[in-house]
Amino acid sequence: MTAERTLVLVKPDGVQRGLIGEVVARLERRGLHLVGLKLMVIDEDLAARHYAEHVGKPFYPGLVRFITSAPVVAMVWEGPDAVALVRSTMGATNPAASAPGTIRGDLAVSIGTNIVHGSDSPARAEVEIGLFFHTKELVSWGSAVAEWTLGG
Ligand code: IDP
Ligand code: MG
Protein backbone atom coordinates (compact mmCIF):
# COMPACT_ATOMS: atom_id res chain seq x y z
CA MET A 1 0.00 0.00 0.00
CA THR A 2 1.29 3.47 -0.90
CA ALA A 3 0.39 5.87 1.87
CA GLU A 4 -1.42 9.01 0.80
CA ARG A 5 0.19 12.39 1.36
CA THR A 6 -1.38 15.81 1.87
CA LEU A 7 -0.23 19.41 2.23
CA VAL A 8 -1.03 21.25 5.45
CA LEU A 9 -0.37 24.93 6.16
CA VAL A 10 -0.50 26.65 9.51
CA LYS A 11 -1.67 29.97 8.12
CA PRO A 12 -0.32 33.37 9.24
CA ASP A 13 -2.97 33.72 11.99
CA GLY A 14 -2.03 30.32 13.40
CA VAL A 15 1.66 31.20 13.48
CA GLN A 16 1.00 34.64 15.01
CA ARG A 17 -1.24 33.11 17.69
CA GLY A 18 1.36 30.52 18.69
CA LEU A 19 -0.67 27.58 17.41
CA ILE A 20 2.00 25.78 15.34
CA GLY A 21 2.54 23.21 18.07
CA GLU A 22 -1.20 22.80 18.62
CA VAL A 23 -1.79 21.93 14.95
CA VAL A 24 1.22 19.60 14.79
CA ALA A 25 0.19 17.90 18.04
CA ARG A 26 -3.35 17.24 16.85
CA LEU A 27 -2.17 15.69 13.58
CA GLU A 28 0.48 13.63 15.37
CA ARG A 29 -2.04 12.39 17.92
CA ARG A 30 -4.46 11.52 15.11
CA GLY A 31 -1.80 9.04 13.97
CA LEU A 32 -0.57 10.75 10.83
CA HIS A 33 3.10 10.79 9.94
CA LEU A 34 5.06 14.02 9.32
CA VAL A 35 7.35 13.79 6.27
CA GLY A 36 8.10 17.47 5.51
CA LEU A 37 8.11 20.75 7.46
CA LYS A 38 9.28 24.32 6.92
CA LEU A 39 8.64 27.92 8.03
CA MET A 40 8.36 30.24 5.04
CA VAL A 41 6.73 33.37 3.62
CA ILE A 42 4.46 32.71 0.63
CA ASP A 43 5.03 35.12 -2.26
CA GLU A 44 2.32 36.38 -4.65
CA ASP A 45 3.23 33.86 -7.34
CA LEU A 46 2.98 30.86 -5.02
CA ALA A 47 -0.24 32.22 -3.50
CA ALA A 48 -1.78 32.51 -6.98
CA ARG A 49 -0.84 28.92 -7.85
CA HIS A 50 -1.95 27.55 -4.51
CA TYR A 51 -5.32 29.32 -4.58
CA ALA A 52 -5.86 29.11 -8.38
CA GLU A 53 -9.35 27.62 -7.91
CA HIS A 54 -10.47 30.82 -6.12
CA VAL A 55 -9.31 33.38 -8.70
CA GLY A 56 -12.18 35.76 -9.47
CA LYS A 57 -14.10 35.15 -6.24
CA PRO A 58 -14.86 38.22 -4.12
CA PHE A 59 -12.68 37.06 -1.25
CA TYR A 60 -9.67 36.20 -3.47
CA PRO A 61 -7.72 39.51 -3.17
CA GLY A 62 -8.07 39.48 0.62
CA LEU A 63 -7.11 35.80 0.74
CA VAL A 64 -3.87 36.43 -1.18
CA ARG A 65 -3.09 39.51 0.92
CA PHE A 66 -3.59 37.47 4.09
CA ILE A 67 -1.66 34.34 3.09
CA THR A 68 1.35 36.44 1.96
CA SER A 69 1.28 38.78 4.98
CA ALA A 70 3.44 36.81 7.44
CA PRO A 71 5.14 33.41 7.79
CA VAL A 72 3.31 30.13 7.45
CA VAL A 73 4.38 26.62 8.37
CA ALA A 74 4.12 24.22 5.43
CA MET A 75 3.97 20.51 6.15
CA VAL A 76 3.40 17.23 4.40
CA TRP A 77 1.57 14.53 6.35
CA GLU A 78 1.32 10.90 5.30
CA GLY A 79 -0.99 8.00 6.07
CA PRO A 80 -3.90 6.00 4.68
CA ASP A 81 -6.61 8.54 3.73
CA ALA A 82 -4.35 11.40 4.87
CA VAL A 83 -6.36 13.95 2.85
CA ALA A 84 -9.68 13.05 4.49
CA LEU A 85 -8.14 12.61 7.94
CA VAL A 86 -6.60 16.09 7.84
CA ARG A 87 -9.84 17.63 6.51
CA SER A 88 -11.88 16.11 9.33
CA THR A 89 -9.33 17.19 11.95
CA MET A 90 -9.39 20.76 10.50
CA GLY A 91 -13.18 21.13 10.55
CA ALA A 92 -15.45 23.00 8.14
CA THR A 93 -14.12 26.04 6.28
CA ASN A 94 -16.36 28.46 8.17
CA PRO A 95 -15.61 28.17 11.90
CA ALA A 96 -19.25 28.96 12.63
CA ALA A 97 -20.04 25.55 11.14
CA SER A 98 -16.93 23.68 12.36
CA ALA A 99 -17.65 20.97 14.90
CA PRO A 100 -16.20 21.34 18.38
CA GLY A 101 -13.20 19.05 18.67
CA THR A 102 -11.84 20.17 15.31
CA ILE A 103 -9.00 22.70 14.97
CA ARG A 104 -11.27 25.38 13.53
CA GLY A 105 -14.21 24.43 15.76
CA ASP A 106 -12.08 24.81 18.89
CA LEU A 107 -9.77 27.68 17.96
CA ALA A 108 -11.21 29.93 15.22
CA VAL A 109 -14.13 32.35 14.78
CA SER A 110 -13.67 33.85 11.31
CA ILE A 111 -13.64 32.23 7.86
CA GLY A 112 -10.81 34.54 6.76
CA THR A 113 -8.61 33.54 9.67
CA ASN A 114 -9.28 29.83 10.12
CA ILE A 115 -5.73 28.79 11.13
CA VAL A 116 -5.10 25.89 8.84
CA HIS A 117 -5.12 24.69 5.22
CA GLY A 118 -5.38 21.09 4.06
CA SER A 119 -5.53 19.83 0.47
CA ASP A 120 -9.07 18.88 -0.57
CA SER A 121 -8.33 15.80 -2.74
CA PRO A 122 -5.43 13.41 -3.39
CA ALA A 123 -4.94 14.92 -6.87
CA ARG A 124 -4.84 18.44 -5.48
CA ALA A 125 -2.52 17.28 -2.67
CA GLU A 126 0.03 16.09 -5.21
CA VAL A 127 -0.06 19.46 -7.00
CA GLU A 128 0.16 21.47 -3.76
CA ILE A 129 3.00 19.35 -2.34
CA GLY A 130 4.89 20.02 -5.59
CA LEU A 131 4.34 23.76 -5.20
CA PHE A 132 5.76 23.86 -1.68
CA PHE A 133 8.41 21.12 -1.51
CA HIS A 134 11.25 19.62 -3.53
CA THR A 135 11.14 15.83 -3.50
CA LYS A 136 14.42 15.73 -1.57
CA GLU A 137 12.87 17.79 1.25
CA LEU A 138 10.40 14.99 1.99
CA VAL A 139 11.76 12.33 4.29
CA SER A 140 10.19 8.90 4.57
CA TRP A 141 10.95 7.28 7.90
CA GLY A 142 9.80 4.12 9.61
CA SER A 143 7.44 4.56 12.52
CA ALA A 144 7.92 2.25 15.46
CA VAL A 145 4.23 2.58 16.41
CA ALA A 146 2.77 2.23 12.90
CA GLU A 147 1.34 -1.20 13.61
CA TRP A 148 -0.64 0.30 16.51
CA THR A 149 -2.00 3.29 14.55
CA LEU A 150 -2.22 2.04 10.97
CA GLY A 151 -3.33 -1.49 11.75
CA GLY A 152 -0.02 -3.20 10.83
P1 IDP B 1 -10.73 25.27 2.77
O1 IDP B 1 -9.57 26.05 3.34
O2 IDP B 1 -11.59 24.71 3.87
O3 IDP B 1 -10.33 24.23 1.76
P2 IDP B 1 -11.65 26.85 0.51
O4 IDP B 1 -13.06 26.90 0.02
O5 IDP B 1 -10.65 26.13 -0.31
O6 IDP B 1 -11.68 26.31 2.01
O7 IDP B 1 -11.19 28.37 0.68
C1 IDP B 1 -9.83 28.67 0.92
C2 IDP B 1 -9.76 29.68 2.04
O8 IDP B 1 -10.33 30.91 1.58
C3 IDP B 1 -10.57 29.30 3.28
O9 IDP B 1 -9.86 28.50 4.19
C4 IDP B 1 -10.90 30.65 3.88
O10 IDP B 1 -9.84 31.13 4.68
C5 IDP B 1 -11.02 31.54 2.64
N1 IDP B 1 -12.43 31.69 2.26
C6 IDP B 1 -13.21 30.77 1.66
N2 IDP B 1 -14.46 31.23 1.47
C7 IDP B 1 -14.44 32.50 1.96
C8 IDP B 1 -15.45 33.52 2.05
O11 IDP B 1 -16.60 33.35 1.65
N3 IDP B 1 -15.05 34.70 2.64
C9 IDP B 1 -13.79 34.91 3.10
N4 IDP B 1 -12.83 33.98 3.02
C10 IDP B 1 -13.15 32.79 2.47
MG1 MG C 1 -9.53 24.46 -0.08
Side-chain angles (χ1 to χ4, degrees), residues 15-75:
V15 174
Q16 294 295 321
R17 290 175 58 194
L19 295 174
I20 299 168
E22 176 81 29
V23 172
V24 170
R26 285 174 183 237
L27 296 175
E28 275 188 312
R29 289 207 304 265
R30 188 82 199 257
L32 288 165
H33 199 97
L34 182 66
V35 297
L37 173 76
K38 62 180 158 191
L39 181 80
M40 61 184 285
V41 176
I42 297 178
D43 65 21
E44 297 253 341
D45 181 61
L46 178 56
R49 290 167 192 259
H50 177 66
Y51 282 129
E53 66 170 310
H54 298 304
V55 171
K57 295 181 185 170
F59 62 85
Y60 178 77
L63 178 60
V64 170
R65 215 175 310 121
F66 166 68
I67 205 71
T68 58
S69 64
V72 303
V73 170
M75 299 178 274

Side-chain angles (χ1 to χ4, degrees), residues 53-54 87 117-118 120:
E53 66 170 310
H54 298 304
R87 294 289 296 187
H117 167 86
D120 66 8

Side-chain angles (χ1 to χ4, degrees), residues 2-148:
T2 312
E4 192 169 278
R5 287 179 170 181
T6 190
L7 181 85
V8 175
L9 301 176
V10 181
K11 295 184 184 180
D13 56 324
V15 174
Q16 294 295 321
R17 290 175 58 194
L19 295 174
I20 299 168
E22 176 81 29
V23 172
V24 170
R26 285 174 183 237
L27 296 175
E28 275 188 312
R29 289 207 304 265
R30 188 82 199 257
L32 288 165
H33 199 97
L34 182 66
V35 297
L37 173 76
K38 62 180 158 191
L39 181 80
M40 61 184 285
V41 176
I42 297 178
D43 65 21
E44 297 253 341
D45 181 61
L46 178 56
R49 290 167 192 259
H50 177 66
Y51 282 129
E53 66 170 310
H54 298 304
V55 171
K57 295 181 185 170
F59 62 85
Y60 178 77
L63 178 60
V64 170
R65 215 175 310 121
F66 166 68
I67 205 71
T68 58
S69 64
V72 303
V73 170
M75 299 178 274
V76 177
W77 288 84
E78 186 178 83
D81 290 321
V83 169
L85 284 163
V86 165
R87 294 289 296 187
S88 64
T89 296
M90 281 164 50
T93 304
N94 188 345
S98 308
T102 65
I103 292 169
R104 289 163 169 173
D106 287 348
L107 303 167
V109 296
S110 157
I111 192 168
T113 49
N114 57 7
I115 302 174
V116 70
H117 167 86
S119 308
D120 66 8
S121 68
R124 194 59 209 158
E126 235 182 276
V127 172
E128 293 178 359
I129 290 167
L131 291 176
F132 281 85
F133 288 92
H134 299 291
T135 309
K136 62 174 190 253
E137 292 178 303
L138 302 177
V139 181
S140 282
W141 51 284
S143 165
V145 297
E147 67 180 290
W148 302 101

